[in-house]
Amino acid sequence: MPPAKVVLLACGSYNPPTNLHFRMFEVARDHLHRLGNHIVVGGVISPVHDKYGKKELVASTHRVKMLQLGLETSNWIHLSDWECNQPGWTRTLEVLRYHQNQINDAMQSSGGESNNKRARQEKNLPWLPNLGTDEVDSVNTPIQVKLLCGGDLLESFGTPGLWRDEDIKCVVGDHGIVVITRAGSDACKFIYESDMLTKYMNNITIVTEWITNDISSTKIRRAFRRGDSVKYLINEAVEQYIRSHGLYSSTAKYESVISKSDSSEIMLSALNSSASIPKMIITEPDHAEPEQRTKKPKTNRRPKKVSPVSNEIEESEPKVKIEIRDNGTIEVISDKETTV
């Protein structure tokens, strides 16, 4: 049986992309080629949509540009911004299906030709793998898109309510996954403890990364926030881009939207709690129109009483008034302090 042709696709935030994100592709390709039953013809990175809602997630325009800079030296890993250009967040299964369908269409339209440059140009799909290598052309077989991920994503299959059972079945059973192990995780044990994953375990490839590395986007963001060096942890061009745009710094602002219903729940929770009401600061986006900006109300501060015995300032219990405006902002008015 000839080796199966495979495209490795990885989804994620890439906030920011690190050297480890790109390294995963190299490790997976080496392992699959060493097994002798797969030929990796391409790699695709698909950054998540802005509406994914992850904390400190910068705009996809920045993440796409950083990935482009980081992949400049790779001749087989490509960027796909299709997921970013959708109306909202897209399930991983749909991302896999889209790229699988585009590859199938490109192969059919090429009529078996070894060069797919025309398909790339006509459909504006720069991520399409190069199907013109000698080892690929030797046998005209279909290409399977497999999900490339870390052990943490595999274990997320067991988080209640996070994945649909049907999606797990299709991702693992129809496409297949290649899992790069990480320190502290036992992928084989997790598969054993899952009936569904055990059923499709022949479509799961576990790759042990012996050169362990604990680089993560979270730690990179923390380093930028603290002013620490990130040299040799991320691509140098990516680092320069981050610094030139002021991303992830201690002064970086991340837009947060709180709906009126959410504001009501916060208010009721605070009123029913025995603890003091926390300060709630709502930052408006810089692009808001002048008439949309909230004006801070004028408040009269009650003079503080001084104890005649200790000569210390006596703090009286604050009187608090909470109002929710039509635009969804919360107004907390106290006789001691006002925060909007």
Side-chain angles (χ1 to χ4, degrees), residues 48-78:
V48 76
H49 194 276
D50 288 343
K51 291 185 179 179
Y52 181 60
K54 194 172 184 179
K55 183 181 179 181
E56 297 182 345
L57 184 67
V58 301
S60 59
T61 52
H62 290 306
R63 292 181 286 119
V64 165
K65 183 59 179 179
M66 288 187 286
L67 284 168
Q68 290 173 339
L69 293 172
L71 292 173
E72 283 183 345
T73 58
S74 177
N75 61 358
W76 70 280
I77 309 172
H78 303 285

PDB file of all heavy atoms in Angstrom, residues 48-78:
ATOM      1  N   VAL A  48      -7.386  31.749  15.056  1.00  0.00           N
ATOM      2  CA  VAL A  48      -8.788  31.814  15.448  1.00  0.00           C
ATOM      3  C   VAL A  48      -9.367  33.207  15.200  1.00  0.00           C
ATOM      4  O   VAL A  48      -8.640  34.201  15.100  1.00  0.00           O
ATOM      5  CB  VAL A  48      -8.925  31.428  16.939  1.00  0.00           C
ATOM      6  CG1 VAL A  48      -8.462  32.573  17.837  1.00  0.00           C
ATOM      7  CG2 VAL A  48     -10.346  31.042  17.284  1.00  0.00           C
ATOM      8  N   HIS A  49     -10.682  33.276  15.114  1.00  0.00           N
ATOM      9  CA  HIS A  49     -11.404  34.535  14.886  1.00  0.00           C
ATOM     10  C   HIS A  49     -11.326  35.440  16.116  1.00  0.00           C
ATOM     11  O   HIS A  49     -11.157  34.973  17.244  1.00  0.00           O
ATOM     12  CB  HIS A  49     -12.870  34.220  14.566  1.00  0.00           C
ATOM     13  CG  HIS A  49     -13.638  35.373  13.995  1.00  0.00           C
ATOM     14  ND1 HIS A  49     -14.218  36.344  14.779  1.00  0.00           N
ATOM     15  CD2 HIS A  49     -13.921  35.713  12.706  1.00  0.00           C
ATOM     16  CE1 HIS A  49     -14.832  37.227  14.013  1.00  0.00           C
ATOM     17  NE2 HIS A  49     -14.663  36.874  12.751  1.00  0.00           N
ATOM     18  N   ASP A  50     -11.462  36.739  15.883  1.00  0.00           N
ATOM     19  CA  ASP A  50     -11.414  37.705  16.985  1.00  0.00           C
ATOM     20  C   ASP A  50     -12.513  37.457  18.016  1.00  0.00           C
ATOM     21  O   ASP A  50     -12.345  37.753  19.201  1.00  0.00           O
ATOM     22  CB  ASP A  50     -11.550  39.134  16.453  1.00  0.00           C
ATOM     23  CG  ASP A  50     -10.306  39.595  15.713  1.00  0.00           C
ATOM     24  OD1 ASP A  50      -9.245  38.960  15.886  1.00  0.00           O
ATOM     25  OD2 ASP A  50     -10.391  40.582  14.959  1.00  0.00           O
ATOM     26  N   LYS A  51     -13.649  36.923  17.586  1.00  0.00           N
ATOM     27  CA  LYS A  51     -14.773  36.707  18.489  1.00  0.00           C
ATOM     28  C   LYS A  51     -14.637  35.440  19.322  1.00  0.00           C
ATOM     29  O   LYS A  51     -15.580  35.050  20.006  1.00  0.00           O
ATOM     30  CB  LYS A  51     -16.085  36.672  17.696  1.00  0.00           C
ATOM     31  CG  LYS A  51     -16.466  38.019  17.103  1.00  0.00           C
ATOM     32  CD  LYS A  51     -17.827  37.973  16.437  1.00  0.00           C
ATOM     33  CE  LYS A  51     -18.206  39.339  15.874  1.00  0.00           C
ATOM     34  NZ  LYS A  51     -19.532  39.308  15.200  1.00  0.00           N
ATOM     35  N   TYR A  52     -13.476  34.827  19.266  1.00  0.00           N
ATOM     36  CA  TYR A  52     -13.235  33.665  20.123  1.00  0.00           C
ATOM     37  C   TYR A  52     -13.346  34.052  21.591  1.00  0.00           C
ATOM     38  O   TYR A  52     -13.722  33.242  22.433  1.00  0.00           O
ATOM     39  CB  TYR A  52     -11.852  33.089  19.815  1.00  0.00           C
ATOM     40  CG  TYR A  52     -11.497  31.870  20.620  1.00  0.00           C
ATOM     41  CD1 TYR A  52     -12.264  30.715  20.543  1.00  0.00           C
ATOM     42  CD2 TYR A  52     -10.386  31.868  21.460  1.00  0.00           C
ATOM     43  CE1 TYR A  52     -11.936  29.589  21.277  1.00  0.00           C
ATOM     44  CE2 TYR A  52     -10.052  30.747  22.198  1.00  0.00           C
ATOM     45  CZ  TYR A  52     -10.828  29.612  22.099  1.00  0.00           C
ATOM     46  OH  TYR A  52     -10.500  28.503  22.839  1.00  0.00           O
ATOM     47  N   GLY A  53     -13.018  35.305  21.893  1.00  0.00           N
ATOM     48  CA  GLY A  53     -13.260  35.827  23.232  1.00  0.00           C
ATOM     49  C   GLY A  53     -12.208  35.495  24.259  1.00  0.00           C
ATOM     50  O   GLY A  53     -12.457  35.612  25.459  1.00  0.00           O
ATOM     51  N   LYS A  54     -11.025  35.090  23.833  1.00  0.00           N
ATOM     52  CA  LYS A  54      -9.974  34.752  24.785  1.00  0.00           C
ATOM     53  C   LYS A  54      -9.369  36.013  25.381  1.00  0.00           C
ATOM     54  O   LYS A  54      -9.241  37.037  24.716  1.00  0.00           O
ATOM     55  CB  LYS A  54      -8.887  33.931  24.089  1.00  0.00           C
ATOM     56  CG  LYS A  54      -7.921  33.251  25.033  1.00  0.00           C
ATOM     57  CD  LYS A  54      -7.008  32.307  24.277  1.00  0.00           C
ATOM     58  CE  LYS A  54      -6.096  31.549  25.222  1.00  0.00           C
ATOM     59  NZ  LYS A  54      -5.223  30.597  24.490  1.00  0.00           N
ATOM     60  N   LYS A  55      -8.973  35.935  26.638  1.00  0.00           N
ATOM     61  CA  LYS A  55      -8.405  37.084  27.335  1.00  0.00           C
ATOM     62  C   LYS A  55      -7.131  37.560  26.642  1.00  0.00           C
ATOM     63  O   LYS A  55      -6.296  36.763  26.236  1.00  0.00           O
ATOM     64  CB  LYS A  55      -8.108  36.710  28.787  1.00  0.00           C
ATOM     65  CG  LYS A  55      -7.574  37.861  29.627  1.00  0.00           C
ATOM     66  CD  LYS A  55      -7.281  37.397  31.043  1.00  0.00           C
ATOM     67  CE  LYS A  55      -6.720  38.533  31.887  1.00  0.00           C
ATOM     68  NZ  LYS A  55      -6.398  38.093  33.269  1.00  0.00           N
ATOM     69  N   GLU A  56      -6.985  38.863  26.509  1.00  0.00           N
ATOM     70  CA  GLU A  56      -5.811  39.514  25.925  1.00  0.00           C
ATOM     71  C   GLU A  56      -5.588  39.141  24.458  1.00  0.00           C
ATOM     72  O   GLU A  56      -4.479  39.258  23.946  1.00  0.00           O
ATOM     73  CB  GLU A  56      -4.547  39.187  26.731  1.00  0.00           C
ATOM     74  CG  GLU A  56      -4.587  39.695  28.160  1.00  0.00           C
ATOM     75  CD  GLU A  56      -3.305  39.392  28.915  1.00  0.00           C
ATOM     76  OE1 GLU A  56      -2.511  38.557  28.437  1.00  0.00           O
ATOM     77  OE2 GLU A  56      -3.098  39.987  29.972  1.00  0.00           O
ATOM     78  N   LEU A  57      -6.627  38.709  23.772  1.00  0.00           N
ATOM     79  CA  LEU A  57      -6.493  38.342  22.361  1.00  0.00           C
ATOM     80  C   LEU A  57      -6.428  39.605  21.509  1.00  0.00           C
ATOM     81  O   LEU A  57      -7.371  40.393  21.473  1.00  0.00           O
ATOM     82  CB  LEU A  57      -7.686  37.486  21.927  1.00  0.00           C
ATOM     83  CG  LEU A  57      -7.653  36.941  20.497  1.00  0.00           C
ATOM     84  CD1 LEU A  57      -6.523  35.926  20.347  1.00  0.00           C
ATOM     85  CD2 LEU A  57      -8.988  36.305  20.126  1.00  0.00           C
ATOM     86  N   VAL A  58      -5.300  39.808  20.823  1.00  0.00           N
ATOM     87  CA  VAL A  58      -5.167  40.985  19.970  1.00  0.00           C
ATOM     88  C   VAL A  58      -5.874  40.731  18.646  1.00  0.00           C
ATOM     89  O   VAL A  58      -6.211  39.598  18.300  1.00  0.00           O
ATOM     90  CB  VAL A  58      -3.687  41.344  19.729  1.00  0.00           C
ATOM     91  CG1 VAL A  58      -2.982  41.626  21.043  1.00  0.00           C
ATOM     92  CG2 VAL A  58      -2.973  40.243  18.956  1.00  0.00           C
ATOM     93  N   ALA A  59      -6.092  41.782  17.882  1.00  0.00           N
ATOM     94  CA  ALA A  59      -6.835  41.689  16.628  1.00  0.00           C
ATOM     95  C   ALA A  59      -6.165  40.714  15.663  1.00  0.00           C
ATOM     96  O   ALA A  59      -4.937  40.565  15.642  1.00  0.00           O
ATOM     97  CB  ALA A  59      -6.954  43.068  15.991  1.00  0.00           C
ATOM     98  N   SER A  60      -6.984  40.054  14.864  1.00  0.00           N
ATOM     99  CA  SER A  60      -6.464  39.066  13.918  1.00  0.00           C
ATOM    100  C   SER A  60      -5.528  39.696  12.895  1.00  0.00           C
ATOM    101  O   SER A  60      -4.638  39.017  12.367  1.00  0.00           O
ATOM    102  CB  SER A  60      -7.620  38.363  13.205  1.00  0.00           C
ATOM    103  OG  SER A  60      -8.428  39.297  12.512  1.00  0.00           O
ATOM    104  N   THR A  61      -5.703  40.983  12.606  1.00  0.00           N
ATOM    105  CA  THR A  61      -4.790  41.636  11.666  1.00  0.00           C
ATOM    106  C   THR A  61      -3.355  41.572  12.176  1.00  0.00           C
ATOM    107  O   THR A  61      -2.416  41.363  11.397  1.00  0.00           O
ATOM    108  CB  THR A  61      -5.198  43.105  11.459  1.00  0.00           C
ATOM    109  OG1 THR A  61      -5.336  43.745  12.744  1.00  0.00           O
ATOM    110  CG2 THR A  61      -6.511  43.202  10.715  1.00  0.00           C
ATOM    111  N   HIS A  62      -3.180  41.736  13.484  1.00  0.00           N
ATOM    112  CA  HIS A  62      -1.846  41.631  14.077  1.00  0.00           C
ATOM    113  C   HIS A  62      -1.365  40.183  14.079  1.00  0.00           C
ATOM    114  O   HIS A  62      -0.210  39.897  13.736  1.00  0.00           O
ATOM    115  CB  HIS A  62      -1.854  42.159  15.512  1.00  0.00           C
ATOM    116  CG  HIS A  62      -2.032  43.636  15.618  1.00  0.00           C
ATOM    117  ND1 HIS A  62      -1.224  44.535  14.958  1.00  0.00           N
ATOM    118  CD2 HIS A  62      -2.928  44.382  16.323  1.00  0.00           C
ATOM    119  CE1 HIS A  62      -1.606  45.769  15.243  1.00  0.00           C
ATOM    120  NE2 HIS A  62      -2.643  45.706  16.056  1.00  0.00           N
ATOM    121  N   ARG A  63      -2.234  39.261  14.457  1.00  0.00           N
ATOM    122  CA  ARG A  63      -1.816  37.857  14.559  1.00  0.00           C
ATOM    123  C   ARG A  63      -1.493  37.270  13.192  1.00  0.00           C
ATOM    124  O   ARG A  63      -0.562  36.471  13.050  1.00  0.00           O
ATOM    125  CB  ARG A  63      -2.907  37.052  15.270  1.00  0.00           C
ATOM    126  CG  ARG A  63      -3.041  37.430  16.742  1.00  0.00           C
ATOM    127  CD  ARG A  63      -4.091  36.624  17.476  1.00  0.00           C
ATOM    128  NE  ARG A  63      -5.443  37.038  17.130  1.00  0.00           N
ATOM    129  CZ  ARG A  63      -6.351  36.269  16.565  1.00  0.00           C
ATOM    130  NH1 ARG A  63      -6.050  35.013  16.258  1.00  0.00           N
ATOM    131  NH2 ARG A  63      -7.566  36.725  16.291  1.00  0.00           N
ATOM    132  N   VAL A  64      -2.261  37.663  12.176  1.00  0.00           N
ATOM    133  CA  VAL A  64      -1.976  37.205  10.813  1.00  0.00           C
ATOM    134  C   VAL A  64      -0.621  37.725  10.345  1.00  0.00           C
ATOM    135  O   VAL A  64       0.186  36.988   9.765  1.00  0.00           O
ATOM    136  CB  VAL A  64      -3.095  37.658   9.854  1.00  0.00           C
ATOM    137  CG1 VAL A  64      -2.657  37.514   8.402  1.00  0.00           C
ATOM    138  CG2 VAL A  64      -4.359  36.852  10.099  1.00  0.00           C
ATOM    139  N   LYS A  65      -0.351  38.992  10.610  1.00  0.00           N
ATOM    140  CA  LYS A  65       0.926  39.571  10.194  1.00  0.00           C
ATOM    141  C   LYS A  65       2.092  38.909  10.920  1.00  0.00           C
ATOM    142  O   LYS A  65       3.139  38.623  10.302  1.00  0.00           O
ATOM    143  CB  LYS A  65       0.917  41.079  10.472  1.00  0.00           C
ATOM    144  CG  LYS A  65       2.176  41.795   9.998  1.00  0.00           C
ATOM    145  CD  LYS A  65       2.390  41.626   8.502  1.00  0.00           C
ATOM    146  CE  LYS A  65       3.629  42.363   8.025  1.00  0.00           C
ATOM    147  NZ  LYS A  65       3.849  42.166   6.564  1.00  0.00           N
ATOM    148  N   MET A  66       1.930  38.636  12.213  1.00  0.00           N
ATOM    149  CA  MET A  66       3.005  37.981  12.963  1.00  0.00           C
ATOM    150  C   MET A  66       3.272  36.579  12.426  1.00  0.00           C
ATOM    151  O   MET A  66       4.428  36.140  12.346  1.00  0.00           O
ATOM    152  CB  MET A  66       2.652  37.937  14.455  1.00  0.00           C
ATOM    153  CG  MET A  66       2.738  39.289  15.148  1.00  0.00           C
ATOM    154  SD  MET A  66       2.526  39.193  16.949  1.00  0.00           S
ATOM    155  CE  MET A  66       0.759  38.894  17.086  1.00  0.00           C
ATOM    156  N   LEU A  67       2.217  35.868  12.047  1.00  0.00           N
ATOM    157  CA  LEU A  67       2.398  34.534  11.481  1.00  0.00           C
ATOM    158  C   LEU A  67       3.091  34.608  10.122  1.00  0.00           C
ATOM    159  O   LEU A  67       3.946  33.770   9.802  1.00  0.00           O
ATOM    160  CB  LEU A  67       1.045  33.832  11.347  1.00  0.00           C
ATOM    161  CG  LEU A  67       0.456  33.289  12.652  1.00  0.00           C
ATOM    162  CD1 LEU A  67      -0.997  32.886  12.466  1.00  0.00           C
ATOM    163  CD2 LEU A  67       1.267  32.094  13.147  1.00  0.00           C
ATOM    164  N   GLN A  68       2.737  35.590   9.328  1.00  0.00           N
ATOM    165  CA  GLN A  68       3.401  35.760   8.037  1.00  0.00           C
ATOM    166  C   GLN A  68       4.896  35.996   8.219  1.00  0.00           C
ATOM    167  O   GLN A  68       5.718  35.421   7.498  1.00  0.00           O
ATOM    168  CB  GLN A  68       2.763  36.927   7.276  1.00  0.00           C
ATOM    169  CG  GLN A  68       1.359  36.645   6.774  1.00  0.00           C
ATOM    170  CD  GLN A  68       0.697  37.872   6.173  1.00  0.00           C
ATOM    171  OE1 GLN A  68       1.092  39.008   6.456  1.00  0.00           O
ATOM    172  NE2 GLN A  68      -0.317  37.662   5.345  1.00  0.00           N
ATOM    173  N   LEU A  69       5.239  36.819   9.192  1.00  0.00           N
ATOM    174  CA  LEU A  69       6.654  37.088   9.464  1.00  0.00           C
ATOM    175  C   LEU A  69       7.360  35.834   9.969  1.00  0.00           C
ATOM    176  O   LEU A  69       8.496  35.541   9.577  1.00  0.00           O
ATOM    177  CB  LEU A  69       6.777  38.211  10.494  1.00  0.00           C
ATOM    178  CG  LEU A  69       6.324  39.602  10.041  1.00  0.00           C
ATOM    179  CD1 LEU A  69       6.306  40.569  11.222  1.00  0.00           C
ATOM    180  CD2 LEU A  69       7.228  40.137   8.937  1.00  0.00           C
ATOM    181  N   GLY A  70       6.690  35.092  10.838  1.00  0.00           N
ATOM    182  CA  GLY A  70       7.307  33.897  11.403  1.00  0.00           C
ATOM    183  C   GLY A  70       7.489  32.771  10.407  1.00  0.00           C
ATOM    184  O   GLY A  70       8.353  31.909  10.589  1.00  0.00           O
ATOM    185  N   LEU A  71       6.680  32.763   9.345  1.00  0.00           N
ATOM    186  CA  LEU A  71       6.729  31.672   8.362  1.00  0.00           C
ATOM    187  C   LEU A  71       7.534  32.026   7.113  1.00  0.00           C
ATOM    188  O   LEU A  71       7.552  31.250   6.158  1.00  0.00           O
ATOM    189  CB  LEU A  71       5.304  31.289   7.942  1.00  0.00           C
ATOM    190  CG  LEU A  71       4.447  30.622   9.023  1.00  0.00           C
ATOM    191  CD1 LEU A  71       3.012  30.462   8.537  1.00  0.00           C
ATOM    192  CD2 LEU A  71       5.029  29.267   9.418  1.00  0.00           C
ATOM    193  N   GLU A  72       8.187  33.162   7.120  1.00  0.00           N
ATOM    194  CA  GLU A  72       8.928  33.591   5.931  1.00  0.00           C
ATOM    195  C   GLU A  72      10.026  32.605   5.535  1.00  0.00           C
ATOM    196  O   GLU A  72      10.348  32.477   4.355  1.00  0.00           O
ATOM    197  CB  GLU A  72       9.535  34.981   6.165  1.00  0.00           C
ATOM    198  CG  GLU A  72       8.523  36.117   6.053  1.00  0.00           C
ATOM    199  CD  GLU A  72       9.170  37.477   6.227  1.00  0.00           C
ATOM    200  OE1 GLU A  72      10.328  37.524   6.708  1.00  0.00           O
ATOM    201  OE2 GLU A  72       8.529  38.491   5.889  1.00  0.00           O
ATOM    202  N   THR A  73      10.585  31.905   6.504  1.00  0.00           N
ATOM    203  CA  THR A  73      11.689  30.987   6.205  1.00  0.00           C
ATOM    204  C   THR A  73      11.224  29.553   5.953  1.00  0.00           C
ATOM    205  O   THR A  73      12.053  28.679   5.707  1.00  0.00           O
ATOM    206  CB  THR A  73      12.702  30.980   7.367  1.00  0.00           C
ATOM    207  OG1 THR A  73      12.036  30.597   8.580  1.00  0.00           O
ATOM    208  CG2 THR A  73      13.323  32.359   7.548  1.00  0.00           C
ATOM    209  N   SER A  74       9.921  29.299   6.020  1.00  0.00           N
ATOM    210  CA  SER A  74       9.411  27.942   5.791  1.00  0.00           C
ATOM    211  C   SER A  74       8.931  27.799   4.352  1.00  0.00           C
ATOM    212  O   SER A  74       8.244  28.675   3.826  1.00  0.00           O
ATOM    213  CB  SER A  74       8.256  27.634   6.746  1.00  0.00           C
ATOM    214  OG  SER A  74       7.719  26.348   6.482  1.00  0.00           O
ATOM    215  N   ASN A  75       9.286  26.682   3.733  1.00  0.00           N
ATOM    216  CA  ASN A  75       8.871  26.441   2.350  1.00  0.00           C
ATOM    217  C   ASN A  75       7.719  25.441   2.254  1.00  0.00           C
ATOM    218  O   ASN A  75       7.330  25.052   1.150  1.00  0.00           O
ATOM    219  CB  ASN A  75      10.056  25.943   1.514  1.00  0.00           C
ATOM    220  CG  ASN A  75      10.627  24.632   2.048  1.00  0.00           C
ATOM    221  OD1 ASN A  75      10.173  24.105   3.068  1.00  0.00           O
ATOM    222  ND2 ASN A  75      11.632  24.112   1.362  1.00  0.00           N
ATOM    223  N   TRP A  76       7.157  25.039   3.406  1.00  0.00           N
ATOM    224  CA  TRP A  76       6.056  24.074   3.323  1.00  0.00           C
ATOM    225  C   TRP A  76       4.925  24.352   4.316  1.00  0.00           C
ATOM    226  O   TRP A  76       3.837  23.788   4.179  1.00  0.00           O
ATOM    227  CB  TRP A  76       6.578  22.651   3.527  1.00  0.00           C
ATOM    228  CG  TRP A  76       7.034  22.325   4.918  1.00  0.00           C
ATOM    229  CD1 TRP A  76       8.228  22.647   5.490  1.00  0.00           C
ATOM    230  CD2 TRP A  76       6.298  21.604   5.912  1.00  0.00           C
ATOM    231  NE1 TRP A  76       8.290  22.181   6.781  1.00  0.00           N
ATOM    232  CE2 TRP A  76       7.121  21.520   7.067  1.00  0.00           C
ATOM    233  CE3 TRP A  76       5.039  21.011   5.955  1.00  0.00           C
ATOM    234  CZ2 TRP A  76       6.721  20.882   8.229  1.00  0.00           C
ATOM    235  CZ3 TRP A  76       4.636  20.371   7.117  1.00  0.00           C
ATOM    236  CH2 TRP A  76       5.474  20.306   8.236  1.00  0.00           C
ATOM    237  N   ILE A  77       5.130  25.233   5.293  1.00  0.00           N
ATOM    238  CA  ILE A  77       4.063  25.620   6.222  1.00  0.00           C
ATOM    239  C   ILE A  77       3.494  26.953   5.754  1.00  0.00           C
ATOM    240  O   ILE A  77       4.241  27.908   5.521  1.00  0.00           O
ATOM    241  CB  ILE A  77       4.584  25.757   7.663  1.00  0.00           C
ATOM    242  CG1 ILE A  77       5.368  24.520   8.076  1.00  0.00           C
ATOM    243  CG2 ILE A  77       3.424  25.990   8.624  1.00  0.00           C
ATOM    244  CD1 ILE A  77       6.070  24.664   9.420  1.00  0.00           C
ATOM    245  N   HIS A  78       2.173  27.018   5.612  1.00  0.00           N
ATOM    246  CA  HIS A  78       1.539  28.217   5.071  1.00  0.00           C
ATOM    247  C   HIS A  78       0.428  28.712   5.996  1.00  0.00           C
ATOM    248  O   HIS A  78      -0.109  27.960   6.814  1.00  0.00           O
ATOM    249  CB  HIS A  78       0.975  27.943   3.677  1.00  0.00           C
ATOM    250  CG  HIS A  78       1.992  27.438   2.704  1.00  0.00           C
ATOM    251  ND1 HIS A  78       2.954  28.246   2.131  1.00  0.00           N
ATOM    252  CD2 HIS A  78       2.216  26.185   2.213  1.00  0.00           C
ATOM    253  CE1 HIS A  78       3.715  27.531   1.323  1.00  0.00           C
ATOM    254  NE2 HIS A  78       3.289  26.282   1.358  1.00  0.00           N
TER     255      HIS A  78
END
